[in-house]
């Protein structure tokens, strides 16, 4: 692991462009483009065609990109059997792995396995899953990802009905004294970032709004960072 998510401040907006919205015919150049634009993380959506009805990238692709980037590789597992894929993705260069509470297996054991493999661990939940489903695992993770679309595809509309859940998770983490970051994923853009920041979300996954911004990635990232003043910890 070359990066550690625990070193990031919760008082800053961190941008994690989702590679799913990149031009797949020139991925190394696309990663370089967002890295030069100043993002902190790179969001990598791993779908198995079973947990979600789509297929994306495997460990070989992550390994190939690792040689072209110093970004923190923020891996989002949308797979039924996360346990089975921790090791290959860590070997390929993942720095952080988030998996779904709805996936198979004991989530506590999955988190332990991610940590044992040398990565930080994140938990996420679909829009229909309540925050309470995370209670047992919240003290164990370094990041919580709130899905603001149904997982499976990029380019969907932001679900504002997930904001109270983000806020609830923020309060749950505060109560237990957890330093975990909160991330949101799906339809995140200039217009939706302030509400997320207000709810305590400081890590913004953004596919379409960064990779396909007509004014380019630096402008897109600057627009997202404007939400920083809405973060609870912001002076
Ligand atoms: C959806 C993925 C997202 C997706 C976001 O299942 O987890 O990371 O790429 O794409 P946008 O930002 O376009 O909604
Ligand atoms: Zn994602």
């Amino acid at each position: 692991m070359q990066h550690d998510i625990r070193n990031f401040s919760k008082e800053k907006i961190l941008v994690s462009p989702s590679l799913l919205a990149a031009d797949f015919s020139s991925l190394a150049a696309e990663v370089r483009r967002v890295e030069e634009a100043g993002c902190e993380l790179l969001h990598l959506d791993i779908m198995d065609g079973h947990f979600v009805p789509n297929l994306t990238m495997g460990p070989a692709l992550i390994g190939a990109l690792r040689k072209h980037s110093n970004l923190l590789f923020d891996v989002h597992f949308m797979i039924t059997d996360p346990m089975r894929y921790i090791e290959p993705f860590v070997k390929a260069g993942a720095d952080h792995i988030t998996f779904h509470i709805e996936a198979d297996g004991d989530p506590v054991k999955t988190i332990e396995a991610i940590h044992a493999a040398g990565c930080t661990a994140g938990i996420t939940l679909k829009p229909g899953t309540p925050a309470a489903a995370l209670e047992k695992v919240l003290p164990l993770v370094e990041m919580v990802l709130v899905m603001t679309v149904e997982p499976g595809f990029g380019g969907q509309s932001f679900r504002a009905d997930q904001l109270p859940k983000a806020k609830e998770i923020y309060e749950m983490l505060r109560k237990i004294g957890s330093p975990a970051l909160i991330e949101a994923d799906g339809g995140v853009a200039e217009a939706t970032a302030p509400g997320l920041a207000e709810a305590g979300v400081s890590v913004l996954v953004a596919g379409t709004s960064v990779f396909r911004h007509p004014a380019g990635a630096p402008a897109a990232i600057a627009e997202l960072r404007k939400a920083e003043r809405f973060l609870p910890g912001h002076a």
Side-chain angles (χ1 to χ4, degrees):
M1 179 166 72
Q2 31 182 17
H3 303 283
D4 192 328
I5 207 164
R6 288 168 294 194
N7 296 334
F8 285 120
S9 162
K10 283 163 81 176
E11 279 138 53
K12 294 249 175 279
I13 291 284
L14 306 171
V15 180
S16 191
S18 167
L19 196 67
L20 207 54
D23 175 355
F24 270 34
S25 68
S26 46
L27 284 178
E30 286 286 78
V31 172
R32 208 169 307 124
R33 183 162 76 85
V34 291
E35 187 159 1
E36 283 168 3
C39 65
E40 288 83 5
L41 299 87
L42 184 71
H43 189 79
L44 298 153
D45 288 302
I46 314 303
M47 306 188 191
D48 66 353
H50 186 260
F51 185 77
V52 289
N54 194 5
L55 283 163
T56 54
M57 35 192 124
L61 183 69
I62 306 312
L65 289 175
R66 185 73 281 179
K67 300 180 185 75
H68 293 271
S69 176
N70 281 316
L71 291 170
L72 190 152
F73 277 11
D74 167 28
V75 173
H76 176 194
F77 273 1
M78 282 157 276
I79 57 183
T80 300
D81 185 5
M83 271 295 214
R84 184 169 165 192
Y85 293 100
I86 294 165
E87 210 191 300
F89 277 93
V90 173
K91 277 197 179 137
D95 297 298
H96 172 89
I97 297 179
T98 292
F99 67 98
H100 274 264
I101 193 75
E102 303 89 356
D104 285 355
D106 175 348
V108 172
K109 290 211 172 84
T110 306
I111 292 165
E112 284 168 358
I114 293 171
H115 286 156
C119 275
T120 50
I123 193 74
T124 185
L125 71 183
K126 293 179 178 181
T129 304
L134 303 183
E135 205 165 353
K136 201 168 114 192
V137 299
L138 284 187
L140 310 173
V141 294
E142 286 75 33
M143 188 151 78
V144 182
L145 170 59
V146 178
M147 288 307 299
T148 44
V149 296
E150 204 56 56
F153 299 92
Q156 304 181 70
S157 301
F158 180 77
R159 287 189 49 165
D161 64 343
Q162 299 303 300
L163 288 173
K165 190 159 82 183
K167 179 92 195 142
E168 197 181 339
I169 290 168
Y170 177 82
E171 290 302 333
M172 287 163 87
L173 289 170
R174 204 181 49 85
K175 264 192 208 128
I176 60 170
S178 162
L181 293 156
I182 309 179
E183 180 178 47
D185 183 7
V188 178
E190 184 180 19
T192 52
L196 288 166
E198 220 166 52
V201 175
S202 63
V203 188
L204 302 179
V205 176
T208 309
S209 72
V210 168
F211 277 103
R212 304 190 189 174
H213 196 294
I221 292 171
E223 282 177 6
L224 294 171
R225 290 204 201 283
K226 282 198 289 185
E228 198 159 282
R229 63 195 173 95
F230 296 101
L231 286 172
H234 194 73

